[in-house]
Amino acid sequence: METPHITEEYFCIHCHKPLGRSDVFRTWDCPICKNKIHIRIITEDKDNACYRFLPHELNVNDIILTHRDSEYYSILKIIDFNSNTFQFNLQKYGAWKISKDRYVLKIDGGWYH
């Protein structure tokens, strides 16, 4: 299970409903409509709207957080090692390897709810 950022808030943009961590932490989907939930993370300089995706759901040019307190990085290349590991080549970061079942925070913009 992913460790949440201290400021995380959860909201379904389809049901227009705030949710608790216990409602969403297994799949990061809304328990009502099954769509991905918005995750709010506040950092020193931004109020971010994010989603959690598995590595195979991400694409080149997506903006991600490597750790919940890190800088944002753009994905330049994705390598699937077929051994339970993915590697993201990230702009201004380098290579980042993670397991296929680890959720990654993808930035979706600012928080507006």
Side-chain angles (χ1 to χ4, degrees):
M1 180 171 40
E2 297 298 313
T3 304
H5 188 277
I6 193 168
T7 66
E8 282 190 19
E9 294 177 33
Y10 311 103
F11 187 84
C12 179
I13 61 173
H14 301 280
C15 296
H16 304 286
K17 180 179 176 174
L19 300 163
R21 179 170 169 74
S22 62
D23 298 323
V24 300
F25 79 91
R26 286 184 179 87
T27 64
W28 304 105
D29 295 333
C30 175
I32 299 162
C33 71
K34 306 303 181 206
N35 285 297
K36 289 284 184 194
I37 54 131
H38 256 184
I39 302 168
R40 180 184 193 185
I41 296 178
I42 299 171
T43 61
E44 281 187 26
D45 58 342
K46 294 198 175 18
D47 194 352
N48 304 291
C50 309
Y51 292 99
R52 278 203 170 90
F53 287 98
L54 290 170
H56 74 273
E57 299 174 303
L58 294 168
N59 298 297
V60 170
N61 295 322
D62 283 344
I63 307 295
I64 64 170
L65 294 169
T66 55
H67 304 287
R68 63 186 193 275
D69 296 322
S70 75
E71 296 293 321
Y72 317 147
Y73 300 102
S74 178
I75 299 174
L76 300 175
K77 184 176 182 179
I78 301 171
I79 302 168
D80 181 352
F81 286 112
N82 292 320
S83 64
N84 202 33
T85 304
F86 268 83
Q87 176 177 304
F88 296 116
N89 293 347
L90 304 174
Q91 185 177 25
K92 298 182 181 179
Y93 182 89
W96 183 49
K97 291 183 181 179
I98 62 167
S99 67
K100 289 185 178 187
D101 61 353
R102 180 175 173 195
Y103 283 90
V104 178
L105 282 167
K106 176 183 169 186
I107 301 296
D108 186 52
W111 184 263
Y112 303 106
H113 304 288

